[in-house]
Amino acid sequence: MIDDRPLLTRVLLIVWVAGTSTFTISVLMIPPTNGSLGPLWAVSVTGYVMTAWLWVHRRELPEH
């Protein structure tokens, strides 16, 4: 059986980074008219922290 875990891990990381980056860029380009940027930045930082965590633990994916 072919082990697809390395490919799946790369795809997961790419999707996570793309989503977090898209969110961050949209916050930078279209800031909210009323309200605070703090919660939005917290979401961005959380996304990048989660990406780093996935990168560090990428070899620990469970088997099927």
Side-chain angles (χ1 to χ4, degrees):
M1 180 175 212
I2 298 174
D3 186 14
D4 290 337
R5 287 180 294 165
L7 175 62
L8 292 174
T9 303
R10 283 189 212 113
V11 170
L12 178 63
L13 283 167
I14 289 169
V15 168
W16 202 276
V17 167
T20 302
S21 297
T22 301
F23 178 80
T24 304
I25 290 169
S26 69
V27 168
L28 290 172
M29 299 298 285
I30 309 167
T33 56
N34 56 357
S36 174
L37 284 175
L40 298 176
W41 287 119
V43 171
S44 291
V45 169
T46 302
Y48 287 118
V49 167
M50 188 63 190
T51 302
W53 185 86
L54 287 169
W55 175 259
V56 169
H57 296 285
R58 67 189 181 276
R59 301 205 194 287
E60 299 173 15
L61 280 178
E63 294 194 26
H64 299 45

